[in-house]
Amino acid sequence: MRADRVFAYGATAGLLGDLLLGDPRRGHPVAVFGRAAGAVERVLWRDHRGWGALHTVVCAGGAVALGAVAAAAARPSRAASVALTGAATWAVVGGTSLAREARAVGRALEAGDVEGARDRLPHLCGRDPQALDADGIARAVVESVAENTSDAVVGALVWGALGGVPGLLGFRAVNTLDAMVGHKSPRHRRYGWASARLDDVAGWPGARLTALLAAAAGGDARGAVRAWRADARKHPSPNAGPVEASFAGALGVRLGGTLSYGGRVEHRPVLNTEGRAVTVGDIERAVRLSRRVNWLALGVSAGASLLRGRVARGPAREFTGGRSRRSRGAS
């Protein structure tokens, strides 16, 4: 079986596995990687960008190398290659867990249990829940669903289409490192610089595809594109900006504004200023839009992989055919 088909079949199986099974409660591969990366940090940490870059290379490079070794070992068997790709896809995507946590917060808000929603919010994002009222929590959930659609699913599928199992594992490793050390805390402002910049680079194609698909799959394609073009660059994150702006336009709501992280208040620009304020009901709408984007991203990624394989085989067939004709002529 060709490599392009291996990815298409394996990624489909992996996304279906995530839909049916979700993430394991214990022993998740990403959690195992996180513990290993934490152990490396305890050995290497210095308040220096160079040491942080070494940490990034060791951890992300190790994940890519592991994926390459596993893919090479499975290559002689078609079934093993598809199974490995499916398992890797299931391990690195998190669409079902994202939807489950978002809906849990939404149910608490619908029941009037704001404290319960605040307790649940840290499962989705790192904001200070005590600083948020019900509408603020709902807005935080919608923004988290938008951003994590790219980070937890679409970006991984893009890199899987480009690099197979090593691409899948490498993207998830980079994204996890950014979450661990890529923030601007006193300990990680310098040490996490390399992880944060690498995550910006790795997330760039997935974020743009997510924004494009949100515009296509949402209820207001024109509004999504308008918000993306007008407001995305105002966001401090080069990748979260396009995604959140496109989701905001597609859903017809306003995102952004004042928020708090770790006691630090940030005043971010409003995305889609023409939209209305987020309400609790928009959480379910955002989750459904995220689901549609995920499956469209699978189709685009698998299709791109198949097309790339066909294009790559074309010159090879032409070369082989020409050589054969020359050989027959010479004889």
Side-chain angles (χ1 to χ4, degrees):
M1 185 182 295
R2 302 191 305 264
D4 51 355
R5 291 186 179 178
V6 166
F7 172 76
Y9 296 160
T12 301
L15 206 59
L16 284 171
D18 177 65
L19 177 65
L20 297 174
L21 303 174
D23 293 332
R25 298 295 183 181
R26 297 181 180 179
H28 194 290
V30 175
V32 172
F33 171 82
R35 289 194 292 271
V40 173
E41 180 186 353
R42 288 191 291 274
V43 173
L44 295 181
W45 187 88
R46 307 287 189 282
D47 189 18
H48 190 276
R49 285 185 175 182
W51 285 95
L54 179 60
H55 176 251
T56 303
V57 169
V58 169
C59 296
V64 172
L66 176 63
V69 170
R75 192 168 293 125
S77 169
R78 298 175 180 178
S81 295
V82 172
L84 176 64
T85 303
T89 302
W90 168 78
V92 304
V93 301
T96 294
S97 292
L98 174 64
R100 181 173 57 238
E101 294 299 334
R103 284 171 169 155
V105 176
R107 286 193 298 270
L109 291 176
E110 288 172 351
D113 184 8
V114 177
E115 285 303 319
R118 286 179 178 141
D119 291 340
R120 196 83 187 194
L121 187 63
H123 292 264
L124 275 173
C125 61
R127 299 185 191 181
D128 296 333
Q130 299 305 319
L132 299 173
D133 59 11
D135 290 343
I137 293 172
R139 192 193 79 197
V141 171
V142 171
E143 290 173 356
S144 183
V145 168
E147 183 176 0
N148 283 291
T149 298
S150 176
D151 288 344
V153 181
V154 179
L157 292 174
V158 168
W159 282 100
L162 292 172
V165 172
L168 287 165
L169 300 189
F171 175 81
R172 176 53 60 224
V174 170
N175 190 251
T176 303
L177 289 174
D178 178 61
M180 294 177 66
V181 304
H183 41 82
K184 296 181 179 180
S185 66
R187 176 179 173 85
H188 293 122
R189 185 178 300 272
R190 291 165 61 83
Y191 186 82
W193 178 86
S195 291
R197 297 291 78 76
L198 182 58
D199 183 67
D200 287 343
V201 173
W204 196 96
R208 273 70 194 170
L209 179 59
T210 303
L212 181 63
L213 295 178
D220 185 356
R222 184 174 298 178
V225 172
R226 182 178 62 247
W228 178 6
R229 294 180 61 184
D231 300 327
R233 67 179 65 91
K234 301 174 184 177
H235 197 286
S237 168
N239 294 329
V243 173
E244 291 186 18
S246 185
F247 262 70
L251 297 171
V253 299
R254 295 192 305 272
L255 298 179
T258 302
L259 49 84
S260 175
Y261 283 101
R264 184 182 72 255
V265 176
E266 293 185 17
H267 300 284
R268 292 184 178 177
V270 174
L271 307 177
N272 191 35
T273 55
E274 298 181 8
R276 57 173 174 77
V278 175
T279 63
V280 176
D282 293 315
I283 293 177
E284 181 62 28
R285 295 178 63 225
V287 168
R288 291 180 180 178
L289 176 57
S290 175
R291 287 286 197 196
R292 293 194 295 271
V293 168
N294 291 343
W295 288 106
L296 286 173
L298 173 65
V300 171
S301 300
S305 178
L306 292 170
L307 179 61
R308 183 163 57 90
R310 179 174 295 182
V311 170
R313 289 192 306 275
R317 284 199 299 266
E318 181 179 349
F319 175 76
T320 302
R323 182 178 179 182
S324 177
R325 286 191 294 271
R326 286 194 299 271
S327 297
R328 288 195 297 270
S331 61

